């Protein structure tokens, strides 16, 4: 009987080794087919249309430069899941890894391992800490995003009253940075009558964002504005306001995809919001990947490179002590222009 158990165990071990060898071989094959020009992109989580657009821009950019693309995203937006993915990509010997971080610090060991293996590592959208990256692709000026969203809430609240924030995960470094700048802006005397009552986290999951919005409305019946600096959160919050007939009583603003928000801008639940072109963010990332690979840039402030149809970019110092490449300013979407954009992204 004991022998039998031993045999089964041995068989299981052999199967596991064969299984992981197969994954490794497939990855190695993918990398070899790319001729040392294989560029990986790891987003926060699956099922996020914003992430899909970033990945499509990355895919277009790498392919127009003759490279091979690997796109990955975990089911849930956790650092642990991304750590496993990066480990697999290291085993696959990819050329570069673009990480949209689910945590600022937690990925540092695995990203350092990747860098030590000769892989060019940089972040995009949601930064990892400067020690973990060569540079960061930032979609828009973070301070400006924070200030602009508070000004929008002030405007929609009529200058006073309760406001709340509906964010993504509590660890998302891009949202956390924007929220820090919102809090800073709120300390200015002109906002003395505006009261930030709560920061809720919908984790970039549609259902959780809906239930967090409902909870905000229950806990704060006088709430006037919800700022959602996440495309998943803003669409969920605007849907709740619409479904509950609260249009005109509670306003939603933040960062949203025109394709998902056109109806809500139209019905007034979201009078206006901001974003940038997520396809361009991914496309810019693809040129950072190849410029790092060719040695055109190393990630230091002052270096310049050309990003295909987007033109020339210069790496600058980032507020977190690292460096970044800034795509451009945020764009305002409102009734007058939303129809021009809803089919674009
Ligand atoms: C969500 C994600 C993404 C963020 C946008 C604005 O889709 O959290 O990281 O940049 O919103």
């Amino acid at each position: 009987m004991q022998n039998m158990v031993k045999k089964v165990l041995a068989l299981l071990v052999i199967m596991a080794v064969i299984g992981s060898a197969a994954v490794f071989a497939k990855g190695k094959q993918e990398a070899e087919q790319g001729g040392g020009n294989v560029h990986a992109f790891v987003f926060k989580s699956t099922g996020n249309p914003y992430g899909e657009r970033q990945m499509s821009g990355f895919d277009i950019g790498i392919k127009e430069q003759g490279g091979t693309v690997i796109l990955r995203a975990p089911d849930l937006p956790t650092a642990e899941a991304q750590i496993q993915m990066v480990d697999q990509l290291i085993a696959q010997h990819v050329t570069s890894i673009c990480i949209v971080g689910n945590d600022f610090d937690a990925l540092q060991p695995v990203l350092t391992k990747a860098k030590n293996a000769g892989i060019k590592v940089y972040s995009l959208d949601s930064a990892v800490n400067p020690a973990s990256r060569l540079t960061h692709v930032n979609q828009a000026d973070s301070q400006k995003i924070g200030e602009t969203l508070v000004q929008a809430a002030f405007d929609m609240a009529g200058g006073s009253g309760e406001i709340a924030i509906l964010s993504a995960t509590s660890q998302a470094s891009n949202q956390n940075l924007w929220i820090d700048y919102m809090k800073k802006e709120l300390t200015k005397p002109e906002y003395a009558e505006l009261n930030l009552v709560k920061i809720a986290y919908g984790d970039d999951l549609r259902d959780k964002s809906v239930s967090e919005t409902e909870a905000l409305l229950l806990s704060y019946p006088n709430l006037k504005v919800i700022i959602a600096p996440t495309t998943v959160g803003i669409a969920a919050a605007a849907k709740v306001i619409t479904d509950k007939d609260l249009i005109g009583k509670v306003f939603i603003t933040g960062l949203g995809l025109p394709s998902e928000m056109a109806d809500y801008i139209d019905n007034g639940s979201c009078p206006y919001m901001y974003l940038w072109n997520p396809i361009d963010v991914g496309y810019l990332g693809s040129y950072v990947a190849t410029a790092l690979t060719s040695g055109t840039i190393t990630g230091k402030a002052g270096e310049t490179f050309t990003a295909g149809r987007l033109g020339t970019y210069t790496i600058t110092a980032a507020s977190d002590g690292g460096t970044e490449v800034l795509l451009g300013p945020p764009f305002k979407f409102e009734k007058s222009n939303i129809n021009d954009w809803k089919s674009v992204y």
Side-chain angles (χ1 to χ4, degrees), residues 251-280:
F251 295 102
I252 307 299
T253 191
L255 306 173
L257 278 173
S259 54
E260 295 190 305
M261 291 298 291
D263 288 350
Y264 303 121
I265 288 190
D266 216 45
N267 75 13
S269 52
C270 171
Y272 56 90
M273 60 166 203
Y274 296 83
L275 202 72
W276 40 83
N277 186 333
I279 303 166
D280 286 352

Side-chain angles (χ1 to χ4, degrees), residues 206-288:
R206 209 166 290 265
D207 290 350
K208 184 156 191 248
S209 303
V210 165
S211 57
E212 288 294 328
T213 306
E214 289 168 348
L216 282 174
L217 297 172
L218 267 181
S219 309
Y220 304 97
N222 297 321
L223 198 64
K224 285 188 170 172
V225 181
I226 299 175
I227 303 175
T230 138
T231 58
V232 178
I234 194 175
K239 183 174 183 331
V240 172
I241 297 307
T242 302
D243 291 350
K244 290 192 177 299
D245 280 334
L246 290 171
I247 298 173
K249 186 175 181 287
V250 183
F251 295 102
I252 307 299
T253 191
L255 306 173
L257 278 173
S259 54
E260 295 190 305
M261 291 298 291
D263 288 350
Y264 303 121
I265 288 190
D266 216 45
N267 75 13
S269 52
C270 171
Y272 56 90
M273 60 166 203
Y274 296 83
L275 202 72
W276 40 83
N277 186 333
I279 303 166
D280 286 352
V281 182
Y283 183 85
L284 178 57
S286 78
Y287 277 84
V288 169

Side-chain angles (χ1 to χ4, degrees), residues 44 48 50 125 139 174-175 178 204 229-231 255:
K44 285 177 169 177
N48 182 338
Y50 178 91
D125 180 0
Q139 51 269 70
N174 55 337
Q175 270 88 17
W178 298 331
D204 272 349
T230 138
T231 58
L255 306 173

